[in-house]
Amino acid sequence: MLFSIMGTDVENSLEKRMATRTAHLERLQKLNEEGRLILAGPHPHPHNSDEFKQFTGSLIVAEFESIEAAQAWADADPYIAAGVYAQVEIKPFIKALP
């Protein structure tokens, strides 16, 4: 089943993000290699013209056996340990298009 994982950043998260970005991307790459990643990416702050100035969060859509498995995966994200995310919300997701 697909799940959306929506992380909401703490204010001024850029330094923490950049310090743990490689480890975060490695986990996403593993999901991709397993054929379970549908999409992933950050939400740039809408008031910054430079996309790497600040972020408000991230979205990941991926396949997991259960919401508990998705939660466990999200809880182990390096961005959680580094304090990038203030909160993470996980919901079942149905891909309607394309």
Side-chain angles (χ1 to χ4, degrees), residues 4 8 15 24-27 29 37 50-51 57 64 73 81 86:
S4 66
T8 302
E15 187 174 322
H24 172 76
L25 293 177
E26 286 172 354
R27 295 182 79 237
Q29 184 59 38
L37 183 65
D50 180 353
E51 70 177 89
F64 293 94
W73 187 89

Side-chain angles (χ1 to χ4, degrees), residues 14 43-55:
L14 186 61
H43 296 282
H45 195 286
H47 301 294
N48 288 326
S49 59
D50 180 353
E51 70 177 89
F52 292 109
K53 256 188 167 173
Q54 202 56 254
F55 297 94

Side-chain angles (χ1 to χ4, degrees):
M1 178 173 216
L2 295 179
F3 292 91
S4 66
I5 302 171
M6 176 93 65
T8 302
D9 282 23
V10 298
E11 291 215 21
N12 301 312
S13 62
L14 186 61
E15 187 174 322
K16 293 175 183 179
R17 270 183 171 270
M18 292 300 108
T20 49
R21 185 171 187 262
T22 299
H24 172 76
L25 293 177
E26 286 172 354
R27 295 182 79 237
L28 290 170
Q29 184 59 38
K30 183 175 181 198
L31 276 181
N32 191 48
E33 290 168 1
E34 294 169 354
R36 297 170 44 206
L37 183 65
I38 304 303
L39 65 88
H43 296 282
H45 195 286
H47 301 294
N48 288 326
S49 59
D50 180 353
E51 70 177 89
F52 292 109
K53 256 188 167 173
Q54 202 56 254
F55 297 94
T56 61
S58 301
L59 172 64
I60 299 164
V61 177
E63 185 177 341
F64 293 94
E65 290 180 14
S66 64
I67 197 164
E68 293 83 12
Q71 184 70 58
W73 187 89
D75 288 345
D77 194 298
Y79 281 179
I80 295 286
V84 173
Y85 294 147
Q87 69 178 32
V88 175
E89 183 176 15
I90 299 173
K91 293 181 178 183
F93 182 84
I94 296 173
K95 183 180 177 192
L97 294 170

